[in-house]
Amino acid sequence: DAKTTQPNSMESNEEEPVHLPCNHSTISGTDYIHWYRQLPSQGPEYVIHGLTSNVNNRMASLAIAEDRKSSTLILHRATLRDAAVYYCIQRPLFGNEKLTFGTGTRLTIIP
Amino acid sequence: GAVVSQHPSRVICKSGTSVKIECRSLDFQATTMFWYRQFPKQSLMLMATSNEGSKATYEQGVEKDKFLINHASLTLSTLTVTSAHPEDSSFYICSASSQPNSYEQYFGPGTRLTVT
């Protein structure tokens, strides 16, 4: 299975930007990078995905390294509701749809 | 966004009994649904992939006779934990996608199963 590595935990102050890193050194040319997050006692929710170019949506931004071996999820202004486990997932574009979750990064927001 | 529901949200059952968990896509048709299990402080582990009208595909190490999956319609998949034991106590989560190769999966809120 495709493997990503993330720090186990991170802390950030409320209302400050947060940069969540992810390494995916074995990524293939057709693998997308997906980010999901899981709030306590809930199912995961989609955050963002990308292939090569940086991506922005209402929740976050995704910055992808030029060699695609790493990426960074950026929360521009963290709130207490952003406290969650964030998962970075490699997933092929075609065929198999399943998501393989790693250990993720537990983000704590400090008021 | 699309909504996936699960029922029940919590269930407590006695060892040896069977429990059925439902996963429904409320506002879209789900050709594929996935079942995950999550133990405390751990990540989600995929158990099986369920395709409407066909047999589920189980991940390695998941007993298909113990975890029965039925995907009888495009909006409903069920997971039945048969002869449950305390070690089956876990958080069970389903997800669904609305079309092949969809980039987003929609997750249900999860079902907390406790086997006493």
Side-chain angles (χ1 to χ4, degrees):
Chain A
D1 286 340
K3 178 77 174 170
T4 62
T5 55
Q6 301 175 250
N8 287 333
S9 62
M10 291 183 64
E11 287 185 350
S12 179
N13 293 320
E14 192 178 11
E15 298 187 3
E16 290 188 357
V18 182
H19 291 238
L20 297 164
C22 178
N23 287 321
H24 28 81
S25 57
T26 61
I27 195 166
S28 75
T30 55
D31 281 353
Y32 276 63
I33 301 146
H34 294 250
W35 284 81
Y36 281 76
R37 72 178 186 181
Q38 185 178 23
L39 279 64
S41 299
Q42 295 186 31
E45 64 174 343
Y46 166 83
V47 178
I48 201 167
H49 79 285
L51 182 63
T52 55
S53 303
N54 293 346
V55 185
N56 300 293
N57 66 19
R58 63 175 179 80
M59 288 182 71
S61 295
L62 177 60
I64 302 171
E66 196 169 332
D67 63 5
R68 300 209 328 121
K69 294 184 184 302
S70 65
S71 62
T72 301
L73 179 71
I74 303 165
L75 307 179
H76 294 285
R77 193 164 168 269
T79 70
L80 295 177
R81 288 177 295 180
D82 291 321
V85 179
Y86 287 77
Y87 296 98
C88 166
I89 301 168
Q90 276 177 234
R91 181 181 167 209
L93 173 61
F94 298 112
N96 197 331
E97 298 179 53
K98 67 180 181 181
L99 295 173
T100 302
F101 286 81
T103 54
T105 297
R106 183 174 299 276
L107 176 64
T108 300
I109 305 299
I110 302 168
Chain B
V3 177
V4 174
S5 70
Q6 283 184 240
H7 178 80
S9 58
R10 285 180 180 272
V11 57
I12 300 173
C13 71
K14 293 191 175 183
S15 188
T17 61
S18 295
V19 174
K20 180 184 283 189
I21 302 170
E22 292 185 349
C23 176
R24 292 182 185 272
S25 57
L26 297 186
D27 49 2
F28 67 100
Q29 292 186 327
T31 53
T32 304
M33 289 183 168
F34 301 88
W35 286 97
Y36 296 83
R37 180 167 54 180
Q38 185 175 34
F39 293 109
K41 304 291 186 186
Q42 294 187 23
S43 187
L44 285 80
M45 295 290 294
L46 180 66
M47 299 175 68
T49 302
S50 170
N51 293 299
E52 187 266 337
S54 64
K55 289 184 179 180
T57 302
Y58 290 82
E59 295 297 300
Q60 192 173 6
V62 177
E63 300 174 59
K64 62 180 180 181
D65 294 330
K66 181 170 181 62
F67 299 100
L68 302 178
I69 292 172
N70 184 282
H71 192 160
S73 77
L74 285 171
T75 59
L76 174 64
S77 177
T78 59
L79 168 68
T80 301
V81 183
T82 63
S83 187
H85 291 284
E87 56 265 32
D88 298 323
S89 298
S90 188
F91 194 47
Y92 291 87
I93 307 169
C94 71
S95 71
S97 60
S98 60
Q99 55 190 336
N101 299 322
S102 170
Y103 69 82
E104 182 173 353
Q105 283 189 20
Y106 305 98
F107 285 81
T111 296
R112 176 85 51 200
L113 170 63
T114 303
V115 184
T116 61

